[in-house]
Amino acid sequence: MLFPFVRSSTLSGAVAMPFVLLLAACATQPKPPAEADALPPPPAAPRVVPVEAEPQAPATQPASLFTLMTQGPVAAMLAYADKVRPLGGTELSAEITRAGDPGDSPTAQMQLALLLAQTRVPADLVRALGLMQRVMANPSSDAQPLQPLARALAARYVEQRRVEDDRDKQVQQLRESQRRIDQLNDRIEALRAIERSFARPNNAPVPALPAPGTTKPPP
């Protein structure tokens, strides 16, 4: 009667042994290092954003070109007039040579007219007035914004020409008056010379008188 009991206990222990070993193995399994859990994700590639080219700085552009782009042709022409206003003599002649033939460009025509009006030469002023009149009569879209300024400058050149003509006439009259004055002075000086010749004393020797008591020798 005892043998079956012992046999069943032995069988139960044999069956339970694998479960005990499996639990022990789970209890003794090493824990993964904490560093593996704390690794950061790989960095994302930076996004490339296209950047538009910055406009050229105003200081690196010609003043007239920058003014033309930002404020219009009239402001650019006024800036050019202010730039060349102090020029004179050799510098003004060099700038006129550099401008050359303006052709049909209203901008070039006005720039050359501004230069010619400063030479104080009547023929250059007449040419400058003609260039302004060409701009005023030009129907192109490039000339229309400049036409009010061209009319104002043309009126100024007409007045300047009138003043210079009056000045030339006055200079001529002054020269003629000075010539007449010089002629009158020459005549007056000649009359004074004649007057001095009449008032000059006679330098001929006077004969001596005989002493008293002496006889006059016979001739």
Side-chain angles (χ1 to χ4, degrees):
M1 293 298 291
L2 293 174
F3 180 76
F5 176 77
V6 173
R7 184 178 178 181
S8 60
S9 298
T10 303
L11 181 60
S12 298
V15 173
M17 184 59 68
F19 290 100
V20 174
L21 295 176
L22 180 60
L23 290 175
C26 292
T28 58
Q29 185 178 1
K31 185 179 181 181
E35 289 79 3
D37 297 336
L39 288 177
R47 181 183 178 186
V48 179
V49 180
V51 179
E52 296 182 358
E54 295 184 359
Q56 192 175 8
T60 62
Q61 298 181 3
S64 58
L65 179 59
F66 178 75
T67 306
L68 177 63
M69 293 188 301
T70 56
Q71 302 182 24
V74 175
M77 191 61 61
L78 293 175
Y80 179 79
D82 186 66
K83 173 185 175 182
V84 300
R85 180 179 54 83
L87 299 182
T90 305
E91 294 180 348
L92 184 59
S93 300
E95 185 67 15
I96 292 175
T97 303
R98 187 199 63 79
D101 184 8
D104 296 330
S105 172
T107 300
Q109 290 171 353
M110 288 194 69
Q111 289 179 345
L112 182 58
L114 290 171
L115 295 171
L116 293 173
Q118 296 184 194
T119 61
R120 304 300 180 184
V121 177
D124 289 342
L125 185 59
V126 172
R127 187 183 175 192
L129 181 59
L131 289 171
M132 288 298 177
Q133 291 173 348
R134 289 176 60 183
V135 175
M136 293 162 53
N138 192 338
S140 67
S141 58
D142 293 337
Q144 289 178 0
L146 298 173
Q147 288 176 351
L149 180 60
R151 285 191 290 268
L153 290 174
R156 178 179 177 274
Y157 293 164
V158 170
E159 181 66 18
Q160 181 179 344
R161 183 181 179 185
R162 185 187 66 79
V163 171
E164 291 183 356
D165 289 343
D166 292 342
R167 182 197 62 187
D168 293 340
K169 291 180 181 179
Q170 292 177 358
V171 170
Q172 184 64 28
Q173 292 175 356
L174 180 61
R175 290 176 179 175
E176 183 66 22
S177 298
Q178 186 64 39
R179 187 183 64 83
R180 292 178 179 179
I181 291 173
D182 293 340
Q183 290 178 349
L184 291 176
N185 288 334
D186 293 340
R187 293 178 181 178
I188 292 173
E189 188 62 29
L191 292 174
R192 287 177 179 175
I194 295 173
E195 182 182 359
R196 286 193 297 269
S197 66
F198 286 146
R200 186 178 303 165
N202 190 5
N203 294 328
V206 178
L209 296 175
T214 59
T215 59
K216 183 178 180 182

